[in-house]
Amino acid sequence: AASGLAFINPYKNREAEFKNGDNFATAGATALPTQFLQSKNISSPITTTSLDVQLDLMFTHFNSICLTDCIQLLKNSLFMVGEIGMNDYSYALLQGKSIQDTTSLVSDVVYAIQKAINRVIEFGAVRIVVPGILPLGCLPALLTRFETKDPKSYDKFQCLNYLNNLSQYHNSELQKAIQEVKKQNPNVAILYGDYYNAYTAILRNASHLKFDVKNLQKACCGIGGAYNYKSNQTCGARGVHACAQPSSYVSWDGINLTEEAYANIAQSLVADILPKLNCKP
């Protein structure tokens, strides 16, 4: 609402209205092709769709609606490339890969995103937002999996330092890649979406924002353990219930955030990005 844009519908909901845009995202998707991840003995348990598949769907759609010139049709469009990459790292970590092996994926993940940016530019995109990833070390699913009694492993928000370092490394490399693409395309507005700092701002200002400071690292919908999360009994399973006040929680199910948390992140991004896009809300 703050950006003046309506919520957009999933592309495969063919009965939906698409005059405001299309959403080609797939739940559980990875930046890297599933075949590549399989070569590293990492499975994609939710979907075989990766970033390149989502782009193929998008281009198939554009080719069907651009009767003459897609560049002309898309000149006023805004493209969101991501957030993507978190699933690649989360799947690797949860399937037993070391932090070193997981970190080695960063260059490939960032390159996949860089290629995606170039592909949408070739198709006519002139306004692009490329989000970074959230702090992995703050997610209840990963906090549960890698819980330790060593207090030095945690930061002031009780997030795991070494997992957050992975997120920061990814985000740093992604920003470098964005700068490379910008040099090659000076007439295209390419902006980095700082999800990481928008998330930590919630933790830093939790009380002011009406979040429950005692449950910042707990899932609202979950059961058991220090973080209200069990990998074999997740949200939606029998006997697993949601908390009474989801808006006071940051994490919804241990992996995804609550609507309130996402709204705060969105407001932060809109405030930062919108003035730089020369768009009229």
Side-chain angles (χ1 to χ4, degrees):
S3 65
L5 301 174
F7 290 113
I8 55 178
N9 291 306
Y11 167 65
K12 289 196 174 182
N13 180 4
R14 304 317 302 163
E15 298 178 358
E17 172 61 60
F18 295 104
K19 66 179 181 179
N20 294 311
D22 299 77
N23 183 357
F24 299 93
T26 301
T30 53
L32 297 171
T34 52
Q35 298 91 334
F36 179 92
L37 292 172
Q38 286 171 355
S39 72
K40 305 284 187 180
N41 294 317
I42 303 167
S43 66
S44 182
I46 298 174
T47 180
T48 57
T49 297
S50 55
L51 181 56
D52 55 353
V53 175
Q54 294 172 75
L55 287 169
D56 288 343
L57 288 172
M58 185 174 71
F59 295 138
T60 297
H61 173 64
F62 287 158
N63 284 327
S64 72
I65 64 172
C66 296
L67 299 179
T68 54
D69 187 358
C70 267
I71 292 178
Q72 183 66 22
L73 180 67
L74 300 175
K75 67 179 182 180
N76 294 319
S77 298
L78 173 64
F79 286 75
M80 292 285 292
V81 182
E83 173 269 343
I84 196 160
M86 282 190 67
N87 289 334
D88 302 66
Y89 306 134
S90 296
Y91 295 158
L93 290 164
L94 293 172
Q95 291 170 33
K97 297 300 179 185
S98 68
I99 188 65
Q100 291 81 11
D101 287 342
T102 305
T103 301
S104 71
L105 295 173
V106 169
S107 60
D108 293 305
V109 169
V110 169
Y111 182 61
I113 298 171
Q114 185 174 0
K115 286 197 301 180
I117 301 169
N118 283 318
R119 284 187 69 184
V120 296
I121 290 173
E122 289 172 3
F123 219 81
V126 293
R127 293 183 182 89
I128 305 168
V129 175
V130 187
I133 64 174
L134 299 169
L136 286 161
C138 297
L139 303 183
L142 292 173
L143 282 165
T144 299
R145 173 66 177 80
F146 300 106
E147 187 176 5
T148 174
K149 294 182 179 179
D150 179 10
K152 294 180 181 178
S153 296
Y154 298 90
D155 65 14
K156 62 182 178 180
F157 301 122
Q158 294 305 302
C159 302
L160 283 165
N161 284 311
Y162 70 96
L163 294 181
N164 281 358
N165 289 342
L166 170 58
S167 291
Q168 291 175 338
Y169 177 54
H170 166 95
N171 291 338
S172 174
E173 293 300 298
L174 178 60
Q175 289 176 77
K176 292 177 185 177
I178 291 171
Q179 290 304 315
E180 288 182 16
V181 180
K182 288 175 72 170
K183 288 179 181 178
Q184 299 164 1
N185 301 275
N187 296 322
V188 179
I190 311 172
L191 302 176
Y192 172 71
D194 195 351
Y195 278 34
Y196 188 101
N197 283 313
Y199 185 100
T200 57
I202 293 175
L203 302 182
R204 189 166 54 252
N205 302 294
S207 180
H208 174 72
L209 295 171
K210 310 299 184 186
F211 288 98
D212 186 345
V213 294
K214 296 180 180 179
N215 293 311
L216 292 179
Q217 311 303 351
K218 291 184 179 181
C220 166
C221 184
I223 190 170
Y227 305 101
N228 203 36
Y229 178 86
K230 285 184 179 179
S231 61
N232 60 351
Q233 205 173 357
T234 56
C235 186
R238 180 175 297 181
V240 179
H241 304 287
C243 61
Q245 294 183 306
S247 63
S248 68
Y249 278 65
V250 176
S251 176
W252 166 243
D253 58 2
I255 299 172
N256 300 290
L257 308 188
T258 59
E259 289 187 7
E260 189 70 19
Y262 277 130
N264 273 273
I265 290 174
Q267 289 167 7
S268 176
L269 262 64
V270 167
D272 176 47
I273 290 171
L274 193 59
K276 302 172 185 176
L277 288 172
N278 299 318
C279 297
K280 294 181 180 180

